[in-house]
Amino acid sequence: MSIASTFRLFHAGWVLAREGAFSVLPAESLPPMMKAGIAMARLVERRSVRKTGSVERLNAALHKLGPSYVKFGQTLATRPDIVGIQAAADLSGLQDKMPPFDPKLVPGILKTALGAKAAQLTEISAPIAAASIAQVHKARLRAPGEAPKLVAVKMLRPGIAERFHADTDSLYAGARLAETLSPASRRLRPTEVVRTLDHSMRLELDLRLEAAAISEMAENIRNDEGFIIPQVHWDQVAQNVLTTSWMDGIPIRDHAALDAAGVDRKALAAKLLQSFLRHAIRDGYFHADMHPGNLFADPKTGNVIAVDFGIMGRIGKDERRFLADILFGFITRNYRLVAQRHFDVGYVPQTQSVEDFALAIRSIGEPLHGRTAADISMAKVLGQLFTITDLFDMQTRPELVLLQKSMVLVEGVARTLDPDLDIWTVAEPVVGEWLRREEGPLGRIEDLSGHLSRLGEAAGRVPSLIAQAELALSEHRALVNRPRDRLLRNTALAVLLATLGLILALIWRVLVGGGL
């Protein structure tokens, strides 16, 4: 641990202690050494913080420590599997509003990042929004041969990358120290928590990746209705600058303005929920930070407008099918299907009972039917699901954690728009349509095409395998006697024939059985 990392670590500990952040920890469940440490930390707690709630204390401490720690808290909010359901829910309220950096620095940042093309950005406004790692300005783009366009220009904070890496080093040091001094803390996986933050932030610190995310989603939703995203202006994109079309809309949290503009909030809630499910289930690629600050409504069409694509989620075909089947099982009250799918994909060990797991799933699903969104808390539902899966030795799936968090977030926003929202009725068209397509001829053809493509790749490697086998035989020819040489040749031939036979068998199974 370097001196600088040690200093930063102790400074962070002092600020957390002064702001009363350690009161958030469940001291009664911690080992004696950690209890003593928390008791000592609370001795320096400022008296005034005792008047606020524990969550407010933690959020205040993270804000005081700076952008890296704010982002750290927001990242923890996406990992209920690590910090727990309640802590994740509390941290999800951590606001991303930070003081803007000096506007005098803006021209220099743009010039360095974009070169001569920076001059095409004119009438740059004061910061419209300032977040933990970047801020956004409104500007006018005057490209040669094109009409002027209103654009949003997002810029990373100067020095944020260096600040982040320094803070991350101290967090890694603290995590290793915690694991060394308190073996009991290892179950909380502090190093993995920091590694999650590190990976997430490295992605967010390159705005070219955010531009690519917008581009990919735009291709996915080009034929969709009800969900709008900005367009990227690639000539004005760099590692620390992102320029997109300006999106005019009413903040989705401003219900009074929505009502005044005549926006149908019930329809808006349905569009939001269905769009998210369509992106997740159909495309396997979804906006994973759909909090109210990133969502607007188009007053003319009543469509959802989404911005800020710094955090995206991706799930594979198997996970998409799993999600669709789970939702469809809950919608149709087919709890046996829900349970069986958990076993089929290996989420629950085969040593457990499918019937018992189906009964546990029923205990979650039955209270949901016939209820409106006002009566259902998806956060509580997921909390109960985590408890049940722990009872049945189900391991947390990292690829689904961000999806689960995003579903809770979207459900919460939709609920505020329409307290009478029937989640299952709204979800059924999206889930049912995808499942019918997957089970139909088109879905089968796509599956067959994918299988044949993989088999073709495998078959294409056979000549290389033969060449490698012959080379190995020739190298050993001078070292082995004739009988053994014939044995090697016969063994190699048998292996090659078995490989070809396996490929043919797989092709036959795909053609007659519909899959691998």
Side-chain angles (χ1 to χ4, degrees), residues 110-401:
L110 294 176
K111 178 66 175 177
T112 301
L114 304 177
K117 292 182 179 179
Q120 297 175 8
L121 294 172
T122 63
E123 302 176 37
I124 301 173
S125 73
I128 302 297
S132 56
I133 66 171
Q135 65 187 40
V136 179
H137 298 254
K138 188 175 184 179
R140 194 171 295 276
L141 175 61
R142 300 181 184 276
E146 298 180 10
K149 302 182 181 71
L150 282 177
V151 294
V153 182
K154 182 176 182 178
M155 285 173 274
L156 294 183
R157 290 178 173 274
I160 186 63
E162 294 77 8
R163 169 70 184 273
F164 164 71
H165 293 310
D167 288 342
T168 302
D169 286 342
S170 66
L171 290 172
Y172 272 120
R176 289 190 293 267
L177 184 63
E179 292 176 348
T180 301
L181 298 179
S182 176
S185 70
R186 294 172 190 166
R187 68 180 182 84
L188 300 176
R189 294 174 286 174
T191 300
E192 181 180 331
V193 172
V194 178
R195 189 175 294 114
T196 299
L197 167 69
D198 195 356
H199 178 72
S200 173
M201 282 293 294
R202 288 179 187 275
L203 294 178
E204 289 193 67
L205 288 172
D206 190 339
L207 296 183
R208 293 169 297 191
L209 298 180
E210 182 174 346
I214 298 173
S215 176
E216 180 174 349
M217 175 161 274
E219 290 184 3
N220 291 341
I221 68 173
R222 61 184 177 276
N223 297 321
D224 293 353
E225 296 180 354
F227 194 83
I228 306 171
I229 64 175
Q231 177 185 356
V232 177
H233 293 284
W234 284 101
D235 284 346
Q236 281 72 37
V237 173
Q239 182 268 328
N240 61 334
V241 175
L242 169 63
T243 305
T244 65
S245 55
W246 180 263
M247 308 297 287
D248 276 318
I250 301 172
I252 209 165
R253 61 171 57 139
D254 192 345
H255 295 175
L258 293 174
D259 294 339
V263 175
D264 185 341
R265 285 200 276 134
K266 291 182 179 291
L268 187 64
K271 288 177 181 178
L272 176 63
L273 186 59
Q274 289 182 339
S275 295
F276 174 78
L277 290 174
R278 190 174 291 113
H279 303 159
I281 295 174
R282 183 194 64 191
D283 307 327
Y285 193 59
F286 56 92
H287 192 311
D289 196 22
M290 292 175 70
H291 62 74
N294 288 337
L295 297 172
F296 302 83
D298 185 340
K300 297 179 181 179
T301 63
N303 291 333
V304 177
I305 299 174
V307 299
D308 193 352
F309 295 79
I311 303 176
M312 302 295 292
R314 192 185 297 276
I315 54 176
K317 185 69 173 288
D318 290 342
E319 288 74 33
R320 289 154 56 195
R321 179 57 187 262
F322 172 75
L323 172 63
D325 280 345
I326 296 307
L327 290 174
F328 190 75
F330 274 116
I331 291 169
T332 59
R333 302 171 74 179
N334 186 347
Y335 305 116
R336 185 64 165 70
L337 170 65
V338 176
Q340 188 61 55
R341 286 297 290 142
H342 279 78
F343 281 79
D344 290 343
V345 297
Y347 288 176
V348 178
Q350 295 295 328
T351 54
Q352 300 292 328
S353 165
V354 177
E355 287 73 20
D356 288 346
F357 191 64
L359 187 66
I361 294 296
R362 180 181 290 273
S363 73
I364 298 175
E366 283 300 295
L368 302 180
H369 282 276
R371 303 289 184 89
T372 65
D375 304 317
I376 301 173
S377 169
M378 291 305 290
K380 291 183 179 179
V381 170
L382 285 177
Q384 186 179 355
L385 183 59
F386 274 128
T387 300
I388 287 176
T389 52
D390 180 62
L391 178 65
F392 285 86
D393 295 328
M394 175 180 170
Q395 297 297 312
T396 300
R397 306 298 301 192
E399 68 272 22
L400 295 178
V401 169

Side-chain angles (χ1 to χ4, degrees), residues 427-477:
E428 194 282 330
V430 176
V431 177
E433 178 186 356
W434 190 81
L435 287 175
R436 285 189 290 272
R437 181 185 182 282
E438 288 298 297
E439 293 297 331
L442 186 58
R444 291 294 185 182
I445 290 173
E446 288 182 351
D447 283 345
L448 177 60
S449 175
H451 294 322
L452 291 178
S453 176
R454 288 189 291 274
L455 289 173
E457 292 174 0
R461 289 193 290 269
V462 170
S464 176
L465 291 173
I466 295 175
Q468 291 177 14
E470 290 181 346
L471 177 61
L473 287 172
S474 64
E475 290 176 348
H476 286 81
R477 184 168 293 127

Side-chain angles (χ1 to χ4, degrees), residues 78-89:
T78 70
R79 298 304 304 266
D81 61 318
I82 293 177
V83 300
I85 295 291
Q86 189 57 52

